[in-house]
Amino acid sequence: MKKSDVIVVGAGLGGLTSAALLSRRENTEVTVFERMSFAGGRFTQHDHDGFQIPTGAVHTIPHGKKGPFSKLILGDRSRGGLDLGKRGVDFLPTTKFAGMWRDRKHYSCKSVFGILPWFPVSNTLNMPRLLASRAKHPWRDENIDGKTWLKKMFTEDFIDFLESFSNFAISLRFDQMPASTVARMLQNSFWSDKPHIPKGGCKGVIDGLRHDLRDNGVRVKLSHEITEILPGSEEEATKESRFCVGIRRRGREGAAWIGADAIIHNGGHPNLLNSLSEDFEISEEIKRKVGRTQAVGGIGFVFGLDENIPQKDSAVTMIPGEGRLGGYVIPTFSEPALAPEGRHMMITHQYVPDATVKSEITKGRDEIYEAVPWLSDHAEELCVHSYHRNWPCNRAPMGSELPSDIGVEGIRMVGDGVKGHGWMMIEGIASNVPKAVKEISSGLG
Ligand SMILES: Cc1cc2nc3c(=O)[nH]c(=O)nc-3n(C[C@H](O)[C@H](O)[C@H](O)COP(=O)(O)OP(=O)(O)OC[C@H]3O[C@@H](n4cnc5c(N)ncnc54)[C@H](O)[C@@H]3O)c2cc1C
């Protein structure tokens, strides 16, 4: 019997986890193509004198061992997980649940309930209203934004705090998201685990995935870009397949054609739509939705710290009320291997209100030195990253609800363009991958 050929476009978390799930399937040949010279996309790191500098993610698993990401990566095979604990993947808890700077005073707490005493008691009394709101699905005819909705229940200082978390985590303000998305995101954060740091950083997870893929016969071809997707009948060599896929190897002119029976795409909706030939009909509604969606940008500083810093925890620390900065994390208090011995690493994140990245970097730097009084005495700036266009923080903002199925049989989108409702960051990616893989598998027979 002919094996089914599945191509995965992009070796980000979405692509690698999809490939790993597909590799469990009998009679299926899976190949991952990645245009960059490394795997992991925005969830890996590069070594800089012993500091593990992220390509994106700040080495944080938002919902620790209770979220969709943990279920997918560490979960039992019998329950649809990849069981990568066997490959040495592990998640280490942050030493505190959360932290905050307000008026140059530092707060921290061990559980979600520890946050509430930082704010007027009316916020605690109104918390059940937030938690009991029905928000598992987007609200029908939704016409209220998250901030307006939260203002009905909470005081301004508490909203500022929650908003700095949203800024840090997803580079968005609450008034940029539908209320049901904000409600569900906060509910998910309330009920789940404290954040965790992957052992060995983001790359620890990627290495585990690559090990698993190797053992299951999946090839990951780096420096190969998918440029076009045509019907299989377009080329003699691919006429037995549903798709004919153009691949360009870095540094070479022209594309080679290979056949595929199904495609999982991890490179974002605009990228997929651009590569599809006119033989595939995409509805005007999908085109409009994708066209209207703007990738979300952000800026992050990485500091090397000495070991005498007064704050000694790896909690996500929020800085409410600032124009740009959301917060920071010092992951080395959970995973010391991310910095050279005797040093720590701090990673900040801020949203970008407009496209003037250069001046935003200067303003963000001023804000962080102003908010954290000990920083200037203990830190060395290692680098600053900006995320936009083809390498954004998020390809689709939370709440945009772009579909995994764009209406072409045999193709599904994965990755941060298609997060499940209210699941943020990699939790959102993991919430969608199993469904996309199941749909692709059922079409293969
Ligand atoms: C600054 C920052 C901080 C973050 N912090 C966190 C965090 O701490 N925790 C968290 O959970 N999330 C975090 N995130 C979000 C998280 O990093 C991303 O959601 C996640 O890494 C995205 O994975 P992905 O698979 O969707 O896409 P990507 O990682 O972008 O992978 C897509 C891959 O596809 C490749 N590709 C695209 N087009 C093609 C093509 N045509 N042919 C071949 N290859 C192609 C790209 O090169 C890329 O490698 C952060 C993001 C940023 C930017």
Side-chain angles (χ1 to χ4, degrees):
M1 204 166 107
K2 180 188 172 290
K3 279 193 170 185
S4 303
D5 285 311
V6 184
I7 282 184
V8 176
V9 184
L13 262 185
L16 294 177
T17 49
S18 302
L21 284 180
L22 274 165
S23 71
R24 273 49 176 171
R25 210 177 169 272
E26 296 272 296
N27 228 17
T28 310
E29 186 106 1
V30 185
T31 313
V32 183
F33 291 96
E34 167 56 52
R35 65 180 179 188
M36 309 288 275
S37 56
F38 62 91
R42 288 166 288 153
F43 196 83
T44 186
Q45 67 226 32
H46 297 297
D47 183 280
H48 170 82
D49 294 340
F51 289 97
Q52 302 307 310
I53 309 279
T55 54
V58 299
H59 296 302
T60 308
I61 297 160
H63 299 327
K65 287 195 171 174
K66 283 196 194 158
F69 188 68
S70 177
K71 198 169 150 203
L72 177 62
I73 297 290
L74 299 178
D76 274 1
R77 271 174 171 233
S78 58
R79 295 174 164 211
L82 292 167
D83 209 2
L84 293 184
K86 290 199 178 114
R87 311 281 187 195
V89 177
D90 198 5
F91 304 160
L92 311 165
T94 49
T95 55
K96 292 274 176 75
F97 181 80
M100 173 179 78
W101 280 101
R102 190 169 55 193
D103 301 331
R104 292 167 74 85
K105 186 171 170 223
H106 181 244
Y107 300 72
S108 67
C109 62
K110 287 200 163 148
S111 82
V112 67
F113 298 102
I115 293 172
L116 296 170
W118 301 345
F119 302 96
V121 71
S122 61
N123 295 291
T124 306
L125 298 176
N126 274 323
M127 190 51 82
R129 272 180 71 191
L130 164 68
L131 298 177
S133 303
R134 285 178 175 222
K136 258 195 167 171
H137 303 285
W139 295 336
R140 209 177 301 153
D141 301 327
E142 191 157 358
N143 56 12
I144 178 167
D145 70 76
K147 189 153 189 169
T148 311
W149 184 73
L150 285 175
K151 275 184 175 169
K152 294 179 187 175
M153 289 172 275
F154 300 121
T155 58
E156 207 166 301
D157 54 352
F158 187 52
I159 296 176
D160 276 354
F161 170 80
L162 296 176
E163 201 164 45
S164 61
F165 162 68
S166 163
N167 173 359
F168 178 75
I170 55 174
S171 317
L172 288 180
R173 306 267 161 171
F174 287 144
D175 57 10
Q176 295 173 293
M177 286 179 271
S180 69
T181 301
V182 171
R184 191 63 187 157
M185 197 177 83
L186 293 174
Q187 289 170 351
N188 286 338
S189 304
F190 189 92
W191 293 120
S192 60
D193 207 357
K194 58 161 70 163
H196 279 50
I197 310 293
K199 189 175 154 209
C202 299
K203 189 165 178 292
V205 177
I206 300 301
D207 286 346
L209 275 163
R210 291 204 65 185
H211 188 169
D212 186 82
L213 293 172
R214 234 181 351 260
D215 285 358
N216 287 306
V218 176
R219 284 172 303 163
V220 178
K221 297 197 147 208
L222 302 177
S223 304
H224 284 72
E225 181 175 20
I226 301 299
T227 52
E228 275 167 282
I229 302 174
L230 318 168
S233 54
E234 283 292 308
E235 290 283 321
E236 185 60 26
T238 61
K239 66 176 194 236
E240 302 294 322
S241 309
R242 178 181 270 164
F243 301 106
C244 166
V245 180
I247 298 171
R248 192 172 48 222
R249 209 167 154 178
R250 216 180 224 193
R252 296 216 183 143
E253 288 291 316
W257 301 104
I258 59 163
D261 300 306
I263 296 172
I264 294 234
H265 203 291
N266 184 208
H269 287 78
N271 186 322
L272 169 60
L273 295 194
N274 284 341
S275 60
L276 283 173
S277 72
E278 284 174 1
D279 305 278
F280 302 101
E281 263 182 46
I282 308 295
S283 74
E284 286 306 315
E285 196 196 333
I286 299 257
K287 281 190 203 159
R288 246 197 322 274
K289 211 167 180 189
V290 171
R292 267 204 313 259
T293 305
Q294 270 209 334
V296 180
I299 291 171
F301 290 89
V302 184
F303 294 100
L305 306 175
D306 65 43
E307 57 186 345
N308 300 321
I309 44 170
Q311 182 187 341
K312 298 198 183 298
D313 68 66
S314 53
V316 172
T317 302
M318 267 58 88
I319 309 184
E322 294 292 340
R324 297 158 179 82
L325 207 62
Y328 63 85
V329 64
I330 310 176
T332 39
F333 281 105
S334 290
E335 174 46 305
L338 298 178
E341 213 182 322
R343 303 289 303 276
H344 284 280
M345 180 173 70
M346 168 177 176
I347 314 168
T348 71
H349 191 71
Q350 70 192 64
Y351 102 127
V352 186
D354 57 50
T356 51
V357 170
K358 252 195 184 158
S359 66
E360 287 306 309
I361 288 175
T362 310
K363 289 172 190 159
R365 183 182 287 115
D366 290 348
E367 280 186 15
I368 181 86
Y369 278 106
E370 176 61 27
V372 184
W374 48 257
L375 194 65
S376 49
D377 291 335
H378 296 278
E380 160 203 8
E381 189 178 314
L382 298 176
C383 64
V384 51
H385 289 155
S386 63
Y387 300 88
H388 50 107
R389 283 187 229 120
N390 227 352
W391 202 257
C393 289
N394 286 299
R395 291 209 166 85
M398 290 285 290
S400 59
E401 316 277 347
L402 293 183
S404 169
D405 178 0
I406 55 147
V408 178
E409 220 175 301
I411 299 185
R412 287 292 182 276
M413 291 293 310
V414 293
D416 72 8
V418 266
K419 291 184 282 280
H421 175 68
W423 291 112
M424 60 181 158
M425 308 198 266
I426 55 171
E427 306 289 0
I429 295 176
S431 71
N432 173 60
V433 160
K435 182 166 175 273
V437 168
K438 198 168 163 204
E439 288 172 6
I440 282 290
S441 296
S442 67
L444 292 173

